[in-house]
Amino acid sequence: MAEKSNKFSRFWQELKRRKTNRVVVVYAATAFVILQLVSILAPALLLPDWTITFIIILLAIGFPITIIFSWFFDITTGGIEKTKPLSEKKKHKTESEIRTWKSTTLISIIIIIALIGFNIVRGSIGSNEIKRSEKSIAVLPFEIWCDTKEYSHLGDAIANEINTHLTNIKEFHVISTTSTSQYKGPDRPTLKQIGKELNVNYIVEGSFELLKGDVSVNVQVINAKNDYHIWAKEFNGKLEELQSIRASINIKIAEGLKVVLSPEEKEQIEKDLTTNFEAYSRYLSGNKITGMAWHFFLRGNLYTDSTSFKDAINNYDKAIKYDPAFALAYAKRAITRSSIYYIGGSKNSDNILKCKEDIDKALEIDPELTEAQIALGFYYYYCKQDYPEALKHFKEASDQNPENWEPIFYMALVHRRYGNWATSQSLLTKVLKYNPQDALVLTNIGLSYDYLKNYDTALIYHDKAIKVMPNWESPYINKIETLIRKNGSTGDAKNLMDTAILKTGKSFIKIKILLDIYDGKFEEALIQTKKILYKTDLFDNTFLNNHGEKLLLCAMVHSYLNNPDRARTYFDSALVFLKKELIKDPENSMKYSNIGIAYAGLKSKSKAIEAGEKALKLTEDNALKESDRKRDLAQIYVMLGDFDSSLKQIDDLLKNPSCFSLKLMQLDPVWKPLIYQPGFQKILTGYSKI
């Protein structure tokens, strides 16, 4: 036994003499440094995914080769020499030296094995973590470098296209570009913060470069929880190959996140929308213009974006001219046509006919096209006001592509029109998962809670909308109105209005006049109204744009000031103006209500009630407008002295979803004649908590 121990000891001593043990230590340390550097630099240098694995294999192969080389050769001042045999004198080293170097070498070998094992296990753990995690993804706007203005829109388009095609993968949950568009430029938050705000596990970011017809797209996927780069790659090709580049990026994202694509998903991703690049480019340009037009239109910029929608149609026209079989271009053009019809830019039967022709052509080319179903939904929703049919097609589009939030959003709006509040709120909450940073969605959810008289929750969503878009006036207006309905006072509303004026640069004159009326400052309200009586500001929804409404407001304030003759003059002027407007738009329920209020001010009872009831009848299929017209009819009745009929409408408004509250009623002087009526005391007792 002792003899075996001595042999083993002499072996370790020989390792030391030949300096093999030192080589092992240096090799271990060097290998560790190399692996750490490669792990850090690989994503930044856009090295392939297999780089680290390849380095580990090289280091593992190099380990025994290095040991063998160090056993037989020494590096001396004279160069590399073969190791000389051990002299008799050096054979008698102490056992302590042997044990020391033996331990050192053993530890070094263990470090090498542990290092390789650590990297393998780490990779395995990371891979398993990706497999188990929810595939929630946000595609951030790309940085853009382009040497030609003609194709500069492609930089924004490529990120949007990646986003759109990722929604075709069922395992992915993709945040909409509406919520990600704000994260652009050097001032954006950290990726961890963006991941938290969007509630996603993974972030896709990159850059688009176009130089002399050559495209270079750098893409990287990051774990948003720990800011760890999963992979990074550069995709190159000619400008005409942009669709295949986009497809390669989407497939690479799926592979990197350990998603196995079905044949159908892969086919959908790799499918070219058109074989003509110019058609594809014009289509992308139309998409960009449409997106911007909707963004600004929904935030009050009406007439500018009617023109923008027409510019989008011109681009779709060119796309179809380049490729008459471009199904998606037909569908998008149809959606844009219905949008123009909706906002009033082209309300004629010819536009409706063209819209339907585009949809039919799109379905003829591609019967399974989801966007064609969305187009049909818009056609029936905006152009035909056939809401059951619109709901049917939005539902079909959603079934075809569950990750597309747009049809879900419009289904929610249709259900809200019908008064299906629970269904509408459920769908809006689902939309919020795709649009956590979309102020329009947030304040719409808040508005629904307003109607449901859940004011505390409504305020939360209005605040979220304000935080996302502090320069947009609508969430401020919605919150101000909610505060009034909730509190029955103007203090908090005034403070918020002052903040809103500073943040948005808007006048909020409409709100200011109403708050003065609620505070009993009738002279101030009248002065402000007369100042704007003949002014227009078509781009500001904080301003009283309609001349008829301003005349009515002057009339009502004069009645509060007990100036009946002046009030009658304004009521008469308002009636003349509103009747002329009604000829242009005979189905406008608000105009009928305003005409009814004007007649009531003139004490023309039968005509006032007839107009008010006509307004209410026009809103039978719209729960939101119906409650507003009930409120107008209640005002008509109270102005005519028919308090019982007025209280009947008010009871219905308080019992059902509406933007009406008991505290608002006690604040608004229009309802003052009802305060001492026995019926009001009964309502006060029954609805004191609303």
Side-chain angles (χ1 to χ4, degrees), residues 1 74 126 183 199 287 297 314 342 357 399 404 420 458 466 473 492 494 501 525 529 533 546 600 604 607 610 613 669:
M1 188 75 179
D74 284 334
Y183 300 111
N199 193 27
N287 287 351
F297 165 69
N314 289 335
Y342 169 66
E357 287 175 351
D399 289 342
N404 189 332
N420 300 332
I466 289 170
E473 63 271 20
D492 291 341
K494 282 183 175 179
I501 291 171
T529 307
L533 191 57
N546 187 279
S604 181
K607 290 183 178 180
E610 180 184 358
E613 289 181 343

Side-chain angles (χ1 to χ4, degrees), residues 145-148 208-216 237-239:
W145 293 276
C146 188
D147 65 349
T148 172
F208 173 88
E209 181 178 347
L210 174 61
L211 183 62
K212 296 181 180 179
D214 292 323
V215 171
S216 178
K238 293 294 182 182
L239 185 58

Side-chain angles (χ1 to χ4, degrees), residues 35 85 97 105-106 120 145 168 199 237 245 296 309 508 516 571 593 637 640 690:
L35 286 172
E97 287 179 312
T105 306
L106 181 61
I120 293 172
W145 293 276
N168 292 318
N199 193 27
I245 292 173
F296 290 111
F309 282 124
F508 283 82
D516 282 341
F571 277 128
S593 275
Y637 280 127
L640 294 170
I690 298 179

Side-chain angles (χ1 to χ4, degrees), residues 73-117:
F73 298 95
D74 284 334
I75 299 177
T76 69
T77 54
I80 299 176
E81 297 179 356
K82 188 173 181 181
T83 304
K84 296 177 181 179
L86 184 65
S87 65
E88 287 295 327
K89 184 178 179 181
K90 292 185 179 180
K91 287 182 180 179
H92 303 291
K93 289 292 182 182
T94 63
E95 288 294 326
S96 60
E97 287 179 312
I98 295 172
R99 285 194 296 269
T100 301
W101 289 107
K102 177 175 68 175
S103 300
T104 304
T105 306
L106 181 61
I107 291 171
S108 300
I109 293 173
I110 291 172
I111 290 173
I112 287 286
I113 296 171
L115 182 61
I116 294 173

Side-chain angles (χ1 to χ4, degrees), residues 224-435:
K225 304 297 181 184
N226 54 26
D227 201 5
Y228 177 76
H229 283 70
I230 296 171
W231 64 261
K233 184 176 174 60
E234 183 177 0
F235 299 83
N236 298 305
K238 293 294 182 182
L239 185 58
E240 294 77 11
E241 300 170 331
L242 192 58
Q243 290 189 85
S244 64
I245 292 173
R246 184 266 308 152
S248 298
I249 293 171
N250 284 100
I251 290 173
K252 180 64 178 174
I253 291 172
E255 291 174 352
L257 297 182
K258 311 304 177 187
V259 172
V260 179
L261 297 174
S262 69
E264 294 77 16
E265 289 172 333
K266 195 168 186 294
E267 180 184 1
Q268 192 71 20
I269 291 172
E270 292 180 335
K271 179 182 178 182
D272 282 348
L273 304 180
T274 173
T275 56
N276 186 292
F277 169 73
E278 290 299 333
Y280 185 57
S281 175
R282 290 303 99 206
Y283 162 80
L284 294 179
S285 180
N287 287 351
K288 180 179 179 179
I289 295 170
T290 301
M292 292 176 65
W294 265 116
H295 175 84
F296 290 111
F297 165 69
L298 292 170
R299 289 152 180 81
N301 198 346
L302 176 61
Y303 291 96
T304 296
D305 295 288
S306 171
T307 304
S308 297
F309 282 124
K310 290 176 181 177
D311 288 342
I313 283 185
N314 289 335
N315 276 277
Y316 293 133
D317 288 344
K318 292 175 183 177
I320 291 169
K321 182 179 179 181
Y322 283 119
D323 181 3
F326 197 167
L328 199 52
Y330 286 105
K332 292 286 188 177
R333 189 169 69 176
I335 292 172
T336 308
R337 288 191 195 282
S338 62
S339 301
I340 290 177
Y341 183 87
Y342 169 66
I343 66 173
S346 181
K347 284 199 174 236
N348 58 64
S349 56
D350 184 54
N351 197 54
I352 296 177
L353 182 62
K354 288 180 179 179
C355 179
K356 189 61 167 62
E357 287 175 351
D358 277 346
I359 296 170
D360 291 341
K361 185 64 176 178
L363 287 171
E364 178 187 331
I365 298 168
D366 186 354
E368 303 300 319
L369 187 64
T370 300
E371 285 76 5
Q373 293 301 324
I374 294 175
L376 277 169
F378 278 112
Y379 171 74
Y380 286 109
Y381 187 60
Y382 286 149
C383 301
K384 307 297 288 184
Q385 287 81 53
D386 186 341
Y387 303 114
E389 197 67 19
L391 192 62
K392 169 188 167 184
H393 290 289
F394 285 136
K395 175 73 166 57
E396 189 166 340
S398 182
D399 289 342
Q400 286 180 359
N401 188 351
E403 289 297 314
N404 189 332
W405 67 271
E406 192 173 31
I408 302 173
F409 180 67
Y410 283 98
M411 285 165 61
L413 297 189
V414 174
H415 278 293
R416 192 166 69 178
R417 289 184 69 103
Y418 284 134
N420 300 332
W421 293 95
T423 302
S424 178
Q425 287 297 83
S426 175
L427 290 169
L428 281 173
T429 303
K430 187 176 180 181
V431 171
L432 190 60
K433 188 178 179 184
Y434 300 93
N435 296 270

